[in-house]
């Protein structure tokens, strides 16, 4: 992508109401645009990041047998009335309105009420189980406070997986499989999200949130000494910083955190409401056990920015970055040099594209080097490559990783190979 063709521009200042780091940096960089509190347009750069996160999530869900579907966001009230959730939590989180023919409608804030009657149509016997379905879709919630940029949207992206099993044991085992898949998702996204014990609601003892520690988090968690398990405030009782962990494993640290994922054993809460049963091998009718598992890719994107930025901008991990390389070509007063810079940059740009390395090329000629470098830092692409009079004098290009202060010249002859290697 050439920056002269990119329709978005970076902004010097964030809008006054953008309080959180993710909102400030994502808006200034032209990753997202705020339509209103809690509703954002994903611009070309931001959509690339979101899609990279979604790709990782899809790969991991497919890897544990998930089959992707897409359910309607627009829904009738009836199934919600069946489970009692039209009135509770009802208006608190649901957008409820009346459509044509005086029909009560909502926009999905979660999909148990849609997916459970759906799979009922396909379950006959135990041989049809388990059923593992997921979708990646926008959800709608009437959030009271939508102040933390894309961390808390009124419309936001969610991956929701639902599993249906013949026995409680199978549901429990699959829950653990999902927990491991979630660890891989967050590790691949470059964030440290700690499995955190949370209350299971009315139907099971515990659920697990994945919490990413950060000062800007809305949640409070107590992390074990090893840093690999935590308890949320709800289940921690009167636990204080430094107290022994509930599992007896040494002192906990109290931390602020952002919930990026949540897994839940629903057991028969919804399958009973919709009378979903199957015939076991002895011919008897049995209840179906269910689990649900959410990750918010748009919140993950915001969480990555909260965790990985400095005072100059974002520092994207390679796995989700909008591009692998940010190539900056500078100009020169000398016509011949200017031409050579342009040719070198263009050649490298094309070779990298052929090699499958994504490049954002700052080919703008009307900006100072300082302004271009500031944009590179703000946008946070992992590797900055500079082609300039100075680097060409050394027959090279300048190489600087966004997460390092060190810049070096590498020979032009090795540039393609070394950058390709970096992109792997
Ligand atoms: P929270 O406690 O932060 O309000 P939740 O517990 O209601 O979230 P879930 O219903 O478990 O969230 O949703 C699954 C995932 O969807 C969350 O872990 C989070 O990543 C994401 N998510 C939930 N609400 C929002 C929101 N308003 N904006 C963006 N992402 C969200
Ligand atoms: Mg939650």
């Amino acid at each position: 992508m050439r920056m002269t063709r990119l329709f978005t521009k970076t902004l010097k200042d964030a809008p006054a109401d953008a309080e959180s780091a993710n909102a400030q940096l994502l808006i200034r960089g032209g990753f997202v645009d705020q339509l209103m509190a809690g509703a954002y347009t994903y611009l070309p750069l931001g959509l690339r990041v979101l899609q990279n996160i979604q790709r990782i999530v899809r790969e991991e869900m497919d890897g544990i047998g998930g089959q992707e579907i897409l359910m309607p966001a627009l829904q009738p009230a009836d199934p919600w009335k069946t489970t009692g959730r039209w009135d509770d939590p009802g208006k608190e989180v649901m957008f409820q309105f009346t459509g044509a023919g005086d029909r009560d409608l909502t926009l999905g804030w979660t999909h148990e009420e849609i997916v459970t009657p759906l799979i009922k149509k396909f379950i006959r016997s135990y041989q049809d189980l388990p059923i593992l379905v997921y979708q990646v879709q926008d959800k709608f919630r009437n959030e009271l406070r939508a102040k933390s940029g894309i961390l808390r949207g009124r419309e936001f992206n969610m991956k929701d997986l639902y599993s249906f099993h013949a026995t409680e044991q199978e549901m429990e085992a699959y829950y653990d499989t999902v927990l491991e898949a979630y660890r891989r998702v967050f590790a691949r996204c470059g964030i440290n999200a700690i499995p955190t014990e949370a209350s299971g609601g009315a139907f099971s003892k515990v659920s697990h949130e994945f919490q990413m520690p950060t000062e800007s988090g809305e949640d409070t968690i107590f992390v074990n000494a090893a840093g690999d398990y935590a308890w949320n405030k709800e289940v921690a009782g009167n636990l204080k910083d430094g107290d022994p962990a509930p599992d007896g494993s040494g002192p906990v640290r109290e931390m602020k955190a952002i919930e990026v994922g949540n897994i839940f054993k629903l057991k028969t809460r919804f399958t009973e409401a919709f009378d979903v049963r199957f015939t076991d091998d002895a011919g008897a009718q049995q209840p179906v056990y269910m689990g649900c598992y959410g990750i918010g890719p748009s919140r993950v994107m915001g969480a990555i920015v909260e965790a990985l930025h400095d005072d100059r901008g974002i520092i994207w991990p390679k796995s989700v970055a909008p591009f692998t390389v940010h190539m900056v070509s500078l100009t020169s007063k000398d016509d011949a040099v200017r031409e050579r810079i342009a040719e070198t940059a263009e050649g490298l740009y094309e070779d990298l594209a052929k090699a499958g390395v994504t490049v954002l090329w700052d080919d703008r000629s009307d900006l100072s080097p300082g302004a271009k470098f500031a944009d590179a830092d703000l946008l946070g692409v992992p590797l900055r490559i500079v082609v300039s009079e100075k680097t060409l004098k050394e027959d090279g290009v300048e190489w600087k990783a966004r997460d390092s202060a060190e810049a070096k010249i590498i020979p032009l002859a090795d540039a393609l190979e070394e950058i390709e290697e970096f992109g792997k």
Side-chain angles (χ1 to χ4, degrees):
M1 168 74 77
R2 292 165 193 250
M3 280 178 90
T4 49
R5 304 304 318 142
L6 185 67
F7 80 83
T8 59
K9 307 272 176 284
T10 58
L11 307 173
K12 269 230 143 49
D13 300 299
D17 62 344
E19 292 168 19
S20 54
N22 80 88
Q24 289 176 15
L25 294 170
L26 290 170
I27 293 171
R28 276 185 55 212
F31 291 90
V32 302
D33 176 73
Q34 190 187 76
L35 176 63
M36 61 175 182
Y40 291 85
T41 297
Y42 285 75
L43 296 164
L45 296 177
L47 188 59
R48 291 178 73 100
V49 177
L50 184 66
Q51 288 173 337
N52 285 338
I53 296 167
Q54 291 168 338
R55 180 179 40 76
I56 291 171
V57 170
R58 284 192 166 100
E59 284 173 7
E60 294 297 342
M61 294 304 105
D62 292 343
I64 56 171
Q67 298 182 30
E68 186 169 357
I69 61 172
L70 183 59
M71 291 178 274
L74 181 66
Q75 303 165 5
D78 316 64
W80 294 93
K81 289 179 177 166
T82 300
T83 60
R85 292 210 288 184
W86 183 258
D87 296 312
D88 179 20
K91 275 262 186 249
E92 257 176 60
V93 286
M94 293 173 84
F95 290 105
Q96 301 181 340
F97 53 97
T98 311
D102 266 347
R103 187 159 197 194
D104 284 339
L105 298 172
T106 185
L107 292 170
W109 62 279
T110 180
H111 273 71
E112 285 83 4
E113 274 78 352
I114 311 306
V115 74
T116 311
L118 171 75
I119 63 98
K120 182 177 180 178
K121 297 178 185 173
F122 299 96
I123 299 180
R124 308 270 185 282
S125 78
Y126 65 97
Q127 286 166 317
D128 298 320
L129 295 167
I131 292 179
L132 316 164
V133 293
Y134 75 95
Q135 62 173 353
V136 180
Q137 195 206 35
D138 274 6
K139 295 275 188 277
F140 299 83
R141 292 188 186 180
N142 203 356
E143 302 277 2
L144 291 179
R145 294 166 307 132
K147 274 187 150 183
S148 322
I150 61 171
L151 292 179
R152 189 168 292 287
R154 295 195 165 104
E155 175 176 353
F156 62 96
N157 192 249
M158 197 201 285
K159 180 286 302 174
D160 40 333
L161 168 71
Y162 304 90
S163 72
F164 299 88
H165 306 270
T167 66
E168 186 165 1
Q169 291 73 10
E170 281 173 25
M171 185 265 291
E172 298 269 355
Y174 192 70
Y175 181 93
D176 294 338
T177 302
V178 178
L179 194 134
E180 292 308 318
Y182 271 36
R183 279 190 210 276
R184 292 192 294 273
V185 166
F186 296 119
R188 289 179 65 186
C189 288
I191 59 177
N192 171 34
I194 304 173
T196 301
E197 213 166 287
S199 111
F203 284 78
S204 73
K205 269 219 302 284
V206 298
S207 66
H208 285 88
E209 299 167 344
F210 279 75
Q211 294 275 5
M212 187 197 85
T214 169
E215 266 312 303
S216 58
E218 286 182 9
D219 295 355
T220 300
I221 59 170
F222 296 89
V223 185
N224 71 359
D228 58 8
Y229 199 77
W231 293 263
N232 82 2
K233 236 190 159 124
E234 239 180 340
V235 298
N238 298 322
L239 210 61
K240 290 186 307 297
D241 189 64
D243 283 354
D247 63 0
S249 69
V252 291
R253 272 173 304 154
E254 180 174 344
M255 300 181 105
K256 289 268 164 222
I258 297 171
E259 180 201 308
V260 285
N262 203 176
I263 59 178
F264 233 95
K265 298 169 189 171
L266 297 169
K267 297 196 177 170
T268 59
R269 159 79 173 90
F270 294 96
T271 50
E272 264 173 20
F274 292 104
D275 195 27
V276 186
R277 289 174 195 287
F278 72 97
T279 315
D280 68 14
D281 48 6
Q285 290 283 294
Q286 299 292 348
V288 171
Y289 285 84
M290 179 177 179
C292 74
Y293 320 87
I295 289 182
S298 53
R299 181 179 287 183
V300 170
M301 177 170 159
I304 293 169
V305 177
E306 293 292 330
L308 301 171
H309 71 269
D310 58 19
D311 52 2
R312 287 169 293 140
I314 303 171
I315 307 170
W316 294 114
K318 258 193 276 183
S319 56
V320 305
F323 297 89
T324 302
V325 180
H326 186 125
M327 181 167 69
V328 178
S329 55
L330 301 180
T331 59
S332 161
K333 282 188 214 88
D334 183 317
D335 287 347
V337 175
R338 194 166 59 238
E339 206 150 292
R340 211 177 138 227
I341 293 171
E343 267 169 23
T344 307
E346 175 120 34
L348 194 54
Y349 181 70
E350 276 165 13
D351 288 346
L352 286 167
K354 271 191 215 121
V357 180
T358 55
V359 184
L360 179 64
W361 176 15
D362 190 347
D363 58 340
R364 298 171 299 179
S365 55
D366 53 347
L367 283 180
S368 70
K372 289 180 144 198
F373 295 151
D375 273 358
D377 283 342
L378 174 61
L379 297 180
V381 169
L383 177 61
R384 188 185 80 187
I385 295 291
V386 181
V387 187
S388 70
E389 181 161 7
K390 194 183 110 202
T391 71
L392 290 185
K393 263 196 195 123
E394 297 182 54
D395 254 333
V397 297
E398 187 198 72
W399 169 295
K400 186 188 163 296
R402 177 64 181 85
D403 62 1
S404 146
E406 250 169 80
K408 62 179 182 191
I409 300 282
I410 60 162
L412 202 49
D414 303 340
L416 179 61
E417 201 179 325
E418 288 200 28
I419 296 170
E420 244 189 289
E421 193 53 40
F422 176 89
K424 277 179 189 154

